[in-house]
Amino acid sequence: MPYARIIHMQRHPIDTCLSIYFQNFFGMGPYANDLEDLAHYYGEYVRIMQHWRTLLPATALLEVPYEALVGDQESWSRRMVDFIGLPGTQSAWSFTRPIAW
């Protein structure tokens, strides 16, 4: 997949870890129920993402801050659609109707 496009959704670390912590992820491993483990694994996620940022060409990875997406959904949605190379139509940006591509 040499020309793959990757959309990396980023959320605030506390929001991410607390969201996992308060879910019932039984059978997924004990890390989800331990805040120290969550902090450790979040650090590993940050480390591996830094690795991919240095390895991948800038055109392969779009970083999308979750809070920015929530604050300006249309703009970020357009950016993501453009990034992956899909044509967007006017009806695609109307969030009260089904999306028509």
Side-chain angles (χ1 to χ4, degrees):
M1 297 175 127
Y3 300 107
R5 298 291 179 116
I6 301 164
I7 296 175
H8 176 223
M9 181 67 63
Q10 298 172 293
R11 195 172 175 200
H12 190 280
I14 292 174
D15 291 334
T16 300
C17 291
L18 286 179
S19 177
I20 294 168
Y21 183 78
F22 286 112
Q23 294 301 313
N24 294 321
F25 288 124
F26 299 112
M28 292 283 297
Y31 76 92
N33 300 315
D34 184 294
L35 291 176
E36 287 182 20
D37 282 351
L38 284 169
H40 167 76
Y41 285 110
Y42 192 88
E44 291 298 294
Y45 149 74
V46 169
R47 184 183 64 78
I48 196 74
M49 284 310 302
Q50 185 56 40
H51 166 76
W52 286 117
R53 283 183 197 101
T54 60
L55 190 64
L56 294 171
T59 58
L61 181 65
L62 177 64
E63 310 255 7
V64 180
Y66 174 78
E67 293 81 3
L69 172 66
V70 170
D72 187 5
Q73 186 175 3
E74 183 176 343
S75 175
W76 277 100
S77 295
R78 287 178 189 272
R79 229 171 133 180
M80 289 186 282
V81 168
D82 288 344
F83 177 74
I84 61 174
L86 291 177
T89 64
Q90 187 59 37
S91 62
W93 312 122
S94 176
F95 299 105
T96 58
R97 293 188 303 251
I99 293 176
W101 294 96

